[in-house]
Amino acid sequence: MTTKKLAEGTEIILKETYDFNCPSCNKLMYAKPSLFMRTGMANLGGGKCIDKECNTRFTLSIDRNNERMIAELINKNEV
């Protein structure tokens, strides 16, 4: 694990891989920290559900308290 300072002055702990659930179908997935997270520019990433029937796009951020990633819908009206 690596500790990084974010642009706004807070710190996050970067693990090699984080688990998270799709905000639409709740499928468990894994992701590595984004370039923004690794460089300390922002706690920001994104992706798309790997379930072919779901295929939902979302943003990812690291939940500092639970050492998980949180996925949130890009378009909250998708569900």
Side-chain angles (χ1 to χ4, degrees):
M1 286 193 273
T2 307
T3 301
K4 286 280 185 180
K5 284 193 179 277
L6 293 178
E8 62 266 13
T10 60
E11 288 186 351
I12 59 173
I13 296 174
L14 292 179
K15 297 192 316 186
E16 187 66 28
T17 306
Y18 289 87
D19 62 309
F20 66 95
N21 294 91
C22 174
S24 182
C25 72
N26 208 34
K27 181 167 186 71
L28 178 64
M29 293 180 276
Y30 299 90
K32 293 186 177 198
S34 70
L35 181 61
F36 285 118
M37 293 170 185
R38 289 191 183 280
T39 60
M41 292 175 66
N43 186 7
L44 178 65
K48 183 170 79 170
C49 184
I50 59 174
D51 185 319
K52 292 180 183 190
E53 292 180 19
C54 180
N55 216 22
T56 301
R57 293 187 178 277
F58 46 78
T59 61
L60 290 170
S61 60
I62 297 174
D63 177 355
R64 295 178 197 100
N65 297 327
N66 297 314
E67 294 186 14
R68 295 191 80 222
M69 278 197 181
I70 301 297
E72 295 181 331
L73 294 174
I74 292 173
N75 180 357
K76 305 253 185 214
N77 298 325
E78 283 187 45
V79 177

